[in-house]
Amino acid sequence: MSQTCGFVAIVGRPNVGKSTLMNRILGQKISITSRRPQTTRHQVLGIKTEGDAQAIFVDTPGIHILGKDRNKAINRFMNQAAVQALRDVDCVVFLVDRTRWTEEDQIVLDRLANVEAPVILAVNKVDRLQDKATLLPWLAELGNKREFAAVVPIAAQHGTNVPELEAEIDKHLPEGIHFFPEDQVTDKSMRFLAAEMVREKVMRQLGDELPYQMTVEIEEFRDEARVVHISALILVERQGQKKILIGDSGDRIKKIGREARLDMERALDKKVMLNLWVKVKRGWSDDERALKSLGYDLD
């Protein structure tokens, strides 16, 4: 049997479960997750090779409305990163949340109008539906919004129907040699993943207390025989945000560091020495040059 290999973009509005779905398909954590919208800021490739089939998933930032509070350079970057992922893919998974259709869902659907690749609609979190009888009519209604290659109800967090979704995706992978070795699961370096692990812990710890003007930069990543030394800088935009992040007597930053270090040790299978610092860098989220220097670059 000949090999198949193709790119699959996972798109949708913020907070519908795109990263959770990719992690579920890969069987391991590549994309960070939190309950806050716009946790994903970059395109992240997740590679799944099974026998002769290789699917290269592109996890994308949530496509969102640019408004008064969401019209900074970083918001524009995230939207561009998501839309750019739709170019030259072999299949698109459009993820929506149960029986809720929003203006941002419609924006994503409009973006898909010019996409030539087949689009599979995945309706997520159906396990949380109070009234299961509403699902079938809703799936039929969604199916009328455009010509979808398939409509699949799933629960990404628990894996419900995810194999059925993968089977639909596999139908659209073209014949071709594999682009990545079969044991590779992402295109991102461990340095990038370490920064994302710290950012995830900050977002999970602080919830609504810290706005989106926070990012993480790895200043040192030194891999020695038995231990990896990592120094990470957490950037915020105001002094008040720095105080919130550090917490009383440094308790909060210690907890963030402890949880991030445990994730890193699991990923690296090595002891990790992690040092965290917090620094105020005013206006970085609306400064395109600063964003590029911090790795927010579509190139």
Side-chain angles (χ1 to χ4, degrees):
M1 183 182 167
S2 58
Q3 288 187 334
T4 59
C5 183
F7 285 85
V8 183
I10 304 174
V11 299
R13 65 173 166 83
N15 224 23
V16 288
K18 298 180 294 297
S19 298
T20 301
L21 174 60
M22 188 170 86
N23 292 339
R24 169 63 63 180
I25 288 171
L26 298 178
Q28 60 183 286
K29 188 170 184 174
I30 298 297
S31 282
I32 65 169
T33 61
S34 82
R35 291 184 179 180
R36 300 200 67 200
Q38 297 163 9
T39 302
T40 301
R41 289 180 177 171
H42 302 263
Q43 290 180 15
V44 179
L45 293 195
I47 304 147
K48 181 166 184 177
T49 308
E50 219 164 53
D52 291 314
Q54 183 172 87
I56 303 154
F57 294 91
V58 191
D59 186 17
T60 63
I63 296 173
H64 56 285
I65 297 166
L66 297 175
K68 186 180 73 170
D69 299 324
R70 297 199 296 186
N71 197 22
K72 297 195 170 190
I74 191 164
N75 296 100
R76 296 193 294 274
F77 167 85
M78 287 190 285
N79 270 357
Q80 287 165 7
V83 172
Q84 190 189 65
L86 294 170
R87 296 181 198 160
D88 303 322
V89 293
D90 302 289
C91 179
V92 176
V93 174
F94 175 23
L95 199 63
V96 297
D97 182 352
R98 284 166 292 176
T99 56
R100 202 166 148 248
W101 184 265
T102 69
E103 190 180 348
E104 288 180 323
D105 290 313
Q106 187 61 45
I107 287 171
V108 181
L109 185 68
D110 294 342
R111 295 274 189 182
L112 293 172
N114 300 320
V115 173
E116 292 182 9
V119 178
I120 297 168
L121 182 70
V123 183
N124 196 21
K125 305 178 189 177
V126 293
D127 55 320
R128 298 186 197 171
L129 276 176
Q130 298 294 320
D131 183 3
K132 298 288 194 268
T134 61
L135 182 60
L136 282 177
W138 177 240
L139 294 179
E141 190 177 328
L142 288 174
N144 292 327
K145 288 186 182 290
R146 70 159 279 162
E147 195 172 322
F148 292 108
V151 178
V152 186
I154 65 166
Q157 193 168 13
H158 304 294
T160 309
N161 259 14
V162 172
E164 286 77 3
L165 175 62
E166 288 187 75
E168 290 295 336
I169 291 165
D170 286 346
K171 293 176 186 176
H172 304 289
L173 299 180
E175 286 191 12
I177 59 167
H178 293 175
F179 294 146
F180 295 95
E182 66 176 86
D183 58 347
Q184 187 172 344
V185 291
T186 185
D187 64 325
K188 295 300 185 188
S189 66
M190 195 56 222
R191 190 184 186 103
F192 171 88
L193 295 177
E196 289 287 272
M197 287 172 190
V198 174
R199 194 165 64 82
E200 177 187 68
K201 302 311 172 196
V202 172
M203 294 188 80
R204 289 188 170 196
Q205 273 286 312
L206 294 171
D208 295 327
E209 287 183 76
L210 191 71
Y212 293 111
Q213 295 95 336
M214 176 276 298
T215 194
V216 179
E217 185 176 16
I218 300 296
E219 294 202 309
E220 179 192 37
F221 191 99
R222 188 159 40 91
D223 192 346
E224 295 180 349
R226 294 185 180 179
V227 63
V228 182
H229 297 268
I230 300 171
S231 297
L233 184 64
I234 304 172
L235 293 175
V236 292
E237 296 202 330
R238 293 196 297 276
Q239 196 65 35
Q241 295 168 354
K242 180 176 178 178
K243 283 184 182 172
I244 291 170
L245 192 45
I246 291 170
D248 296 332
S249 310
D251 291 348
R252 187 168 262 159
I253 194 74
K254 283 177 192 166
K255 188 172 183 186
I256 288 164
R258 185 167 61 249
E259 291 181 359
R261 178 179 56 78
L262 291 171
D263 267 12
M264 291 172 188
E265 288 181 341
R266 277 191 288 269
L268 289 160
D269 201 20
K270 269 187 183 182
K271 185 171 174 56
V272 170
M273 296 292 289
L274 174 65
N275 291 306
L276 296 181
W277 285 273
V278 186
K279 179 180 172 183
V280 177
K281 186 180 174 79
R282 296 187 185 281
W284 71 265
S285 67
D286 203 20
D287 181 338
E288 293 192 4
R289 283 180 64 184
L291 285 170
K292 278 198 170 187
S293 74
L294 291 165
Y296 294 92
D297 192 345
L298 291 173
D299 296 336

